[in-house]
């Protein structure tokens, strides 16, 4: 009987250890995200293959492959890792800058929110009806951009296009993040839809943005 309980304990511990998905922009291609040694090098791949739990993201810059990073399930997304930590308590976002960027071409001009912005995109979209919400902790959001042609919007739905950094339609907690050089042509940088009751933005820094 003791052996049976020991086996159960090992199984539960193994399940707990495998609850994280690992991402490191410096990782080799072909990783499966189950450890730092086999981390995904694409945050898009991590989102596509993680239905729940935590995503641990190592220092680096991550740009959406499509129009934006799209989150459709309840996740805790943690940045600030060096890429070898055994515990989330060991990460340091102030030392290991982990950036979500909308600057596709990497040609934004420091201090200039107008030049070279046509390639930029919104950074993150959080879908509706995620009952348990989303946590985003320890990231830099930079270069997120929404450029709106108001002359073509006859529906009055321009507000749907705001939120250059984060556009959320489910509850979200954003903590220990920095927002630099984002441009939202209409509306806020972080758009929280009326359906996001319980959302909060804590201990974050905003500088050099428009919106």
């Amino acid at each position: 009987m003791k052996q049976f309980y020991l086996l159960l304990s090992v199984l539960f511990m193994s399940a707990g250890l495998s609850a994280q998905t690992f991402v490191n922009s410096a990782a080799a291609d072909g990783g499966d995200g189950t450890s730092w040694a086999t981390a995904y090098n694409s945050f898009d791949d991590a989102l596509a293959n993680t239905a729940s739990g935590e995503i641990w993201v190592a220092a680096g810059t991550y740009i959406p492959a499509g129009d934006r990073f799209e989150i459709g399930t309840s996740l805790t997304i943690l940045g600030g890792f060096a890429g070898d930590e055994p515990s989330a308590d060991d990460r340091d976002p102030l030392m290991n800058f982990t950036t979500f960027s909308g600057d596709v071409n990497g040609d934004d001009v420091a201090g200039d929110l107008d030049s070279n912005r046509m390639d930029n995109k919104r950074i993150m979209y959080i879908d509706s009806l995620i009952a348990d919400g989303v946590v985003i902790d320890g990231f830099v959001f930079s270069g997120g951009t929404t450029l709106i042609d108001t002359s073509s919007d006859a529906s009055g739905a321009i507000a749907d296009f705001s939120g250059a950094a984060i556009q959320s339609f489910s509850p979200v907690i954003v903590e220990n993040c920095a927002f630099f050089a984002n441009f939202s042509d209409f509306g806020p940088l972080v758009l929280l839809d009326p359906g996001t009751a319980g959302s909060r933005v804590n201990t974050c820094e905003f500088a050099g943005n428009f919106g």
Side-chain angles (χ1 to χ4, degrees), residues 93-110:
L94 295 179
M95 288 293 295
N96 303 309
F97 293 120
T98 311
T99 302
F100 288 142
S101 174
D103 181 13
V104 176
N105 292 339
D107 60 357
D108 285 359
V109 178

Side-chain angles (χ1 to χ4, degrees), residues 23-110:
V23 186
N24 189 336
S25 62
D29 291 338
D32 61 9
T34 58
S35 69
W36 284 125
T38 60
Y40 292 120
N41 56 22
S42 162
F43 186 66
D44 287 288
D45 288 345
L47 288 177
N49 292 283
T50 308
S52 62
E54 297 182 348
I55 299 179
W56 292 10
V57 188
T61 298
Y62 302 86
I63 300 171
D67 291 336
R68 60 206 177 181
F69 291 127
E70 295 195 9
I71 300 174
T73 60
S74 179
L75 294 169
T76 295
I77 304 169
L78 303 177
F81 292 92
D84 58 2
E85 294 87 344
S87 168
D89 293 336
D90 298 325
R91 67 195 177 103
D92 187 349
L94 295 179
M95 288 293 295
N96 303 309
F97 293 120
T98 311
T99 302
F100 288 142
S101 174
D103 181 13
V104 176
N105 292 339
D107 60 357
D108 285 359
V109 178

Side-chain angles (χ1 to χ4, degrees), residues 66-192:
D67 291 336
R68 60 206 177 181
F69 291 127
E70 295 195 9
I71 300 174
T73 60
S74 179
L75 294 169
T76 295
I77 304 169
L78 303 177
F81 292 92
D84 58 2
E85 294 87 344
S87 168
D89 293 336
D90 298 325
R91 67 195 177 103
D92 187 349
L94 295 179
M95 288 293 295
N96 303 309
F97 293 120
T98 311
T99 302
F100 288 142
S101 174
D103 181 13
V104 176
N105 292 339
D107 60 357
D108 285 359
V109 178
D112 183 349
L113 296 179
D114 294 320
S115 301
N116 302 338
R117 285 274 167 165
M118 295 306 296
D119 61 292
N120 291 42
K121 59 182 69 175
R122 173 182 290 117
I123 296 173
M124 186 172 290
Y125 170 86
I126 300 173
D127 207 352
S128 61
L129 305 178
I130 304 175
D132 294 329
V134 174
V135 176
I136 302 167
D137 187 326
F139 292 92
V140 176
F141 286 80
S142 180
T145 302
T146 51
L147 299 174
I148 311 304
D149 180 5
T150 56
S151 64
S152 66
D153 191 303
S155 67
I158 294 175
D160 289 345
F161 295 94
S162 62
I166 300 173
Q167 182 185 46
S168 184
F169 294 90
S170 288
V172 59
I173 296 173
V174 182
E175 295 185 312
N176 305 309
C177 290
F179 296 82
F180 298 133
N182 300 283
F183 184 92
S184 191
D185 200 17
F186 185 93
L189 300 174
V190 179
L191 170 67
L192 301 177

